[in-house]
């Protein structure tokens, strides 16, 4: 057979194998996924039970790699500990060895029956579970068919004595043979396929029994590479499991490799079929690893945690820093801590304002996404602060402490509302402008920037009012609200004095006025921070309206 033709057949057969395993895995997860996860959840409390669960799940999924991915996801999510996860992997290795041992028998009659029966169940099934059962049976048939074709393609029907001598010379050194078998198992993404090919090579006499046993060890190493490479880019906590799994296999290979010449030439083993010897050795090897390492998993877990410590997590901007529950017994300390958290909210709003001003002139979707995340941070800070103040309000507080608590609540609420307006109003308008490729006129940009600068000054005044009970700053803050009305009026007059022509400029005019409206609402929330202090000093009118005398009283006069 030409080399190119053989390579194309191998690629197709490996693809068929992977597709069959995928069909089995997806069918099992769709039909019994919840049951499998509950089985793992119940069994992971005990390492022996976890090992048995790993065997059962691997037999169901027909893939130790799939079991490894499932267990790694549980470990990464913190649902299970490292010790039971390692026990599951020991069981998964035994499970895949059992699959290889069972498939080493004649399967030429089995796969046509499975494919036909699976198709009938899939086409006639009326329920989702029955159709998934059909998918599983078809997948098993594809797996057996692909394995049969792989063996026929790789293993020649007849080999000359000269070729056997050459192959025997090439496979005399164990380490290169072990490395080559590991690469083959990794490329196939299936230790089952690799073991069955090795068994067929040994059965035809193409490789010696010693070389076959070495190749079995290499296949065990290679099948552990895929979960390791998949987890290499993730968190270290999830990386510990595949590292521990491959470390167990490396230790096993180091212990067994020196004994292989004795085992291969032992009279009792030499009388058996080399193919049967290869698959049986694979099963016994994994059973021995499970028995050896299960008692020492706690020690191994501690070593892995020391070698692969958790990376320091970046500080979560949305988590409260100063809301210490222990300070609730000292209300003044608790209020000071709450005030510090409110200052963090003010800093976040300031960052959002500065960023939204940048979006007036340039298109920056990355900055837009970052600013939207800052609103989520603001919401989380406000939620934590609200819960803290609610619990503090249930304590016995003095009049001054009640007043300060109400002030902190007012500040936090107005800052949170201001952030919502920036997110749902100003940023939505910026996104609309970028999406439609609109450009504000230079005058519109200057007006909007002036309003942003005014709001930043207003925010600083609001912080001064809150921090130091500064009455003059409170008066300036409310007066600044009046000045913003002048800015708003001037912007509206400019728009109507110079009406845009038809086309895109008309859209920019409406967009600009909408932004001005939202900025005015933000200014109102900043000014509201000064209201409690002004009310306590009788410097805030109940209403700006001028009360006219009633008609009846006017007539009597």
């Amino acid at each position: 057979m030409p080399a190119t033709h053989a390579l194309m057949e191998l690629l197709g057969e490996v693809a068929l194998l992977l597709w069959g395993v995928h069909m089995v895995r997806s069918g099992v997860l769709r039909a019994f996924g919840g049951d499998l996860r509950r089985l793992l959840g119940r069994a992971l409390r005990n390492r022996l039970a976890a090992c048995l669960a790993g065997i059962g799940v691997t037999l169901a999924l027909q893939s130790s790699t799939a079991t490894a991915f499932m267990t790694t996801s549980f470990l990464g999510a913190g649902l299970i500990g490292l010790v039971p996860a390692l026990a599951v992997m020991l069981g998964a290795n035994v499970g895949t060895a059992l699959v290889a041992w069972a498939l080493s028998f004649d399967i030429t009659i089995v796969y046509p029956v499975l494919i036909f029966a699976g198709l009938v169940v899939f086409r006639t099934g009326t329920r989702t579970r029955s159709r998934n059962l059909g998918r599983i049976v078809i997948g098993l048939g594809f797996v057996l068919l692909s394995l049969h074709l792989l063996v026929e393609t790789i293993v020649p029907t007849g080999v000359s004595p000269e070729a056997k001598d050459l192959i025997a010379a090439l496979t005399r050194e164990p380490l290169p043979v072990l490395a080559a078998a590991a690469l083959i198992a990794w490329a196939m993404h299936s230790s089952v396929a690799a073991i069955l090919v090795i068994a067929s090579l040994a059965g035809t006499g193409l490789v010696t029994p010693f070389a076959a046993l070495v190749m079995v060890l290499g296949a065990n190493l290679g099948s552990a590479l895929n979960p390791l490479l998949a987890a290499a880019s993730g968190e270290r906590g999830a990386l510990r499991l595949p590292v521990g799994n491959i470390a167990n296999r490396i230790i096993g290979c180091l212990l067994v490799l020196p004994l292989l010449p004795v085992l291969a030439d032992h009279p009792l083993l030499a009388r058996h079929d080399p193919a049967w010897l290869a698959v049986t050795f694979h099963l016994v090897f994994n059973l021995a690893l499970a028995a050896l390492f299960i008692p020492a998993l706690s020690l191994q877990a501690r070593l892995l945690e020391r070698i692969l410590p958790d990376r320091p997590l970046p500080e979560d901007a949305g988590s409260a820093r100063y809301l210490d529950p222990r300070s609730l017994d000292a209300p003044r300390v608790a209020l000071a801590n709450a005030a510090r958290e409110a200052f963090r909210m003010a800093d976040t709003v300031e960052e959002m304002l500065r960023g939204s001003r940048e979006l007036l002139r340039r298109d920056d979707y990355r900055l837009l996404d970052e600013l939207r995340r800052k609103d989520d941070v603001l919401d989380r800070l406000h939620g934590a602060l609200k819960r803290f103040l609610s619990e503090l309000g249930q304590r016995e507080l003095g009049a001054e402490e009640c007043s300060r608590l109400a002030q902190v609540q007012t500040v936090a609420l107005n800052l949170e509302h201001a952030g919502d307006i920036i997110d749902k109003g100003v940023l939505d308008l910026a996104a609309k402008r970028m999406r439609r490729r609109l450009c504000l006129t230079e005058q519109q940009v200057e007006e909007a920037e002036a309003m942003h600068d005014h709001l930043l000054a207003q925010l600083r005044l609001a912080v001064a009012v809150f921090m130091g009970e500064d009455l003059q700053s409170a008066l300036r803050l409310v007066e600044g609200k009046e000045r913003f009305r002048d800015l708003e009026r001037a912007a509206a007059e400019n728009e109507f004095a110079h009406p845009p022509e038809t086309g895109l400029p008309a859209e920019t005019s409406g967009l600009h006025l909408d932004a001005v409206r939202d900025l005015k609402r933000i200014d109102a929330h900043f000014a509201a921070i000064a209201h409690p202090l002004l009310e306590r000093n009788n410097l805030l009118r109940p209403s700006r309206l001028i009360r006219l005398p009633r008609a009846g009283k006017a007539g009597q006069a």
Side-chain angles (χ1 to χ4, degrees), residues 47-351:
R47 65 183 69 180
L48 181 59
C51 181
L52 295 175
I55 295 174
V57 172
T58 304
L59 289 175
L61 297 179
Q62 297 288 297
S63 172
S64 61
T65 303
T67 306
F69 287 152
M70 183 185 296
T71 310
T72 301
S73 66
F74 286 173
L75 181 64
L79 300 177
I80 62 173
L82 183 56
V83 171
L86 290 168
V88 169
M89 285 312 304
L90 291 173
N93 298 333
V94 175
T96 194
L98 285 171
V99 172
W101 188 83
L103 295 180
S104 64
F105 300 98
D106 187 12
I107 57 175
T108 56
I109 303 298
V110 179
Y111 66 79
V113 176
L114 289 177
I115 295 175
F116 178 76
L119 180 63
V120 171
V121 173
F122 184 82
R123 295 296 298 272
T124 59
T126 57
R127 294 187 300 176
T128 303
R129 174 163 288 193
S130 61
R131 292 174 65 85
N132 284 321
L133 287 174
R135 183 191 301 272
I136 295 169
V137 177
I138 294 174
L140 285 174
F142 284 167
V143 169
L144 299 181
L145 173 60
S146 62
L147 292 174
H148 175 68
L149 295 175
L150 272 171
V151 171
E152 284 193 344
T153 302
I154 295 175
V155 181
T157 55
V159 182
S160 64
E162 293 79 6
K164 288 185 178 182
D165 293 338
L166 177 61
I167 294 173
L170 293 175
T171 57
R172 188 173 293 119
E173 292 298 326
L175 292 181
V177 173
L178 186 144
L183 289 176
I184 292 172
W186 167 77
M188 286 185 171
H189 282 66
S190 172
S191 62
V192 174
I195 294 298
L196 291 181
V197 168
I198 293 168
S200 298
L201 292 172
T204 57
L206 197 58
V207 297
T208 62
F210 170 72
L213 298 183
V214 174
M215 294 175 75
V216 168
L217 294 181
N220 276 275
L221 287 178
S223 62
L225 289 175
N226 290 309
L228 178 64
L229 296 176
S233 60
E235 295 295 330
R236 291 185 181 178
L239 184 60
R240 293 172 188 148
L241 178 61
V243 169
N245 180 42
I246 199 170
N248 291 341
R249 298 195 180 195
I250 291 174
I251 293 172
C253 290
L254 293 176
L255 292 175
V256 174
L257 194 59
L259 304 177
L260 289 186
V262 178
L263 291 175
D265 296 332
H266 196 279
L268 293 177
L269 299 179
R271 292 181 296 182
H272 290 281
D273 177 30
W276 178 89
L277 182 61
V279 294
T280 305
F281 172 72
H282 176 51
L283 176 59
V284 172
F285 175 74
N286 282 283
L287 286 171
L289 286 185
L292 176 65
F293 285 105
I294 280 180
L297 288 182
S298 298
L299 175 61
Q300 185 184 18
R302 288 195 295 270
L303 288 175
L304 288 170
E305 289 169 353
R306 181 173 297 181
I307 295 171
L308 296 170
D310 291 327
R311 293 187 181 94
L313 295 175
E315 184 180 8
D316 184 5
S319 61
R321 296 179 187 171
Y322 308 113
L323 303 182
D324 186 0
R326 294 172 296 183
S327 66
L328 291 170
D329 295 329
R332 289 185 179 275
V333 177
L335 288 169
N337 291 341
R340 296 175 71 186
E341 211 64 59
F343 291 150
R344 290 186 64 205
M345 293 182 64
D347 291 340
T348 305
V349 172
E350 182 175 358
E351 293 173 0

Side-chain angles (χ1 to χ4, degrees), residues 516-530:
V516 170
R517 175 204 63 200
D518 290 331
L519 295 176
K520 178 183 177 182
R521 293 167 58 202
I522 296 171
D523 185 61
H525 284 294
F526 290 165
I529 294 175

Side-chain angles (χ1 to χ4, degrees), residues 385-406:
L385 187 56
K386 184 167 62 174
R387 290 189 295 271
F388 183 80
L389 293 177
S390 176
E391 189 171 351
L392 180 61
Q394 299 175 8
R395 310 295 174 99
E396 294 184 3
L397 304 177
E400 184 179 351
E401 293 164 346
C402 288
S403 175
R404 183 60 172 171
L405 186 146

